[in-house]
Amino acid sequence: MARRILIASGKGGVGKTTISAGLGEMLAELGASVCVVDFDFALNNLDLALGVEGKIVYDLYDYLSGRCKLRQALTQVSEKGNFYFLSTNKVSFDCYDEDQIKETIMKLSAIFDYLIFDCSAGLSPAFKLGVQLASEAFIVVCPSIFSLKDASIVKNYLISQNQKDIGLIINRIRGDLVACGQMLNEKQIEDILQTHVVGVIPESDGCITNGNLTTVCESSEAMRCALKSFAQNVMYGKTLVFDYLSKYRGLIGKIRAKIKKGA
Ligand SMILES: Nc1ncnc2c1ncn2[C@@H]1O[C@H](COP(=O)(O)OP(=O)(O)OP(=O)(O)O)[C@@H](O)[C@H]1O
Ligand SMILES: [Mg+2]
């Protein structure tokens, strides 16, 4: 039975899709079979984040309408490894029968080691279905007060639904600002949300400039390292997070932080 990981957030645009794609790629590189499932029905960019936008033929709706087999509804993300994507881009969530989605997820659970559900922000009906199907949940936050406030609402919802396995992913953290005391660090965020941190992902210039031209993991070396540590924590139950402050320690580091902050 696959581990079924829900990627959620309170606030939109904090990086759920980026992280779902990156986690999937890294888990597959570590040897697992992975399927990333689009739980942001009809509104997702997961195909772009995975670099498969031109490859999708069938999606979940085609399968449930009898137009293809389940295997055909899956898009292979990379030739290497066992890494697939299930798109739901064609129609909105209202057009689906929830029981049929549940049944399909259970079938996929028997095939893969990991299913990753890339959800929409907040407490949408699709997210709520994802919560019922997930074996664990990660909440993505950015180090901002709005993101943390909304994340605590999602956390409370998860707890109310008996989801006990909840972790935090801090995305878009900036070492230069944390080093100068101008951004919350991961310990402070962990304290505020009372949830353990499983991944810390730095702000990455490459991720912004490259957009859909590369896969998430190709976008910058720091991003790749951070996603790899996160995937290792998920797979092996480790607690090591990416050291985003290493560049900003010592005299040279302080100079670097000042220059970066001023840029
Ligand atoms: N670590 C990062 N560094 C820089 N840019 C990032 C990072 N993570 C995500 N982004 C950028 O932020 C934007 C939003 O990311 P993404 O689409 O993954 O968020 P989301 O939470 O899935 O959004 P939505 O709530 O709309 O589904 C994208 O342009 C993405 O490239
Ligand atoms: Mg998204």
Side-chain angles (χ1 to χ4, degrees):
M1 175 71 94
R3 282 176 65 182
R4 300 174 306 285
I5 299 175
L6 180 94
I7 306 285
S9 77
K11 197 176 164 330
V14 292
K16 294 175 298 298
T17 297
T18 306
I19 284 164
S20 299
L23 175 64
E25 191 172 334
M26 284 299 166
L27 287 171
E29 271 196 30
L30 290 171
S33 59
V34 183
C35 181
V36 186
V37 184
D38 178 350
F39 257 77
D40 193 356
F41 293 72
L43 275 174
N44 208 303
N45 298 317
L46 195 47
D47 52 344
L48 292 177
L50 291 165
V52 296
E53 63 279 7
K55 279 172 72 176
I56 297 161
V57 181
Y58 296 114
D59 79 347
L60 177 61
Y61 196 71
D62 291 317
Y63 164 64
L64 295 177
S65 313
R67 280 191 281 275
C68 67
K69 298 209 164 80
L70 183 54
R71 277 280 181 190
Q72 291 173 299
L74 303 176
T75 303
Q76 187 165 18
V77 179
S78 92
E79 302 300 315
K80 292 179 281 167
N82 204 347
F83 184 22
Y84 289 83
F85 166 50
L86 178 57
S87 170
T88 60
N89 250 354
K90 290 189 180 160
V91 298
S92 67
F93 186 66
D94 310 338
C95 304
Y96 284 90
D97 171 345
E98 289 196 19
D99 287 337
Q100 285 191 326
I101 298 178
K102 283 185 191 166
E103 216 174 282
T104 310
I105 293 298
M106 287 309 141
K107 280 186 185 156
L108 291 174
S109 274
I111 303 173
F112 290 96
D113 298 324
Y114 290 88
L115 302 180
I116 299 172
F117 306 155
D118 175 27
C119 291
S120 53
L123 308 180
S124 67
F127 161 80
K128 288 181 176 172
L129 177 63
V131 174
Q132 288 178 42
L133 295 168
S135 58
E136 53 209 284
F138 295 139
I139 305 174
V140 182
V141 292
C142 291
S144 85
I145 188 161
F146 304 119
S147 170
L148 298 189
K149 181 178 160 276
D150 294 352
S152 88
I153 296 170
V154 168
K155 182 191 162 188
N156 289 340
Y157 179 78
L158 289 168
I159 292 170
S160 77
Q161 298 303 302
N162 288 323
Q163 179 51 262
K164 293 187 181 74
D165 201 345
I166 305 173
L168 213 57
I169 305 159
I170 302 171
N171 188 28
R172 305 194 78 156
I173 200 154
R174 279 184 53 179
D176 55 330
L177 295 182
V178 171
C180 299
Q182 292 187 5
M183 185 177 263
L184 293 170
N185 66 32
E186 73 280 13
K187 295 270 174 271
Q188 292 167 319
I189 295 174
E190 199 165 50
D191 252 27
I192 293 167
L193 289 174
Q194 290 289 300
T195 308
H196 75 283
V197 171
V198 274
V200 175
I201 318 289
E203 173 79 26
S204 155
D205 294 344
C207 187
I208 298 164
T209 52
N210 288 336
N212 61 4
L213 299 179
T214 61
T215 65
V216 171
C217 293
E218 285 167 347
S219 62
S220 89
E221 193 46 39
M223 185 93 174
R224 193 177 168 76
C225 284
L227 286 165
K228 189 166 186 185
S229 300
F230 169 41
Q232 283 171 338
N233 289 344
V234 172
M235 191 178 260
Y236 305 119
K238 290 186 182 179
T239 51
L240 282 175
V241 294
F242 176 68
D243 184 6
Y244 62 96
L245 282 170
S246 63
K247 267 174 39 187
Y248 301 105
R249 289 199 188 95
L251 179 65
I252 301 296
K254 281 187 185 137
I255 296 169
R256 201 181 268 139
K258 288 246 180 287
I259 294 171
K260 177 104 200 285
K261 198 160 73 79

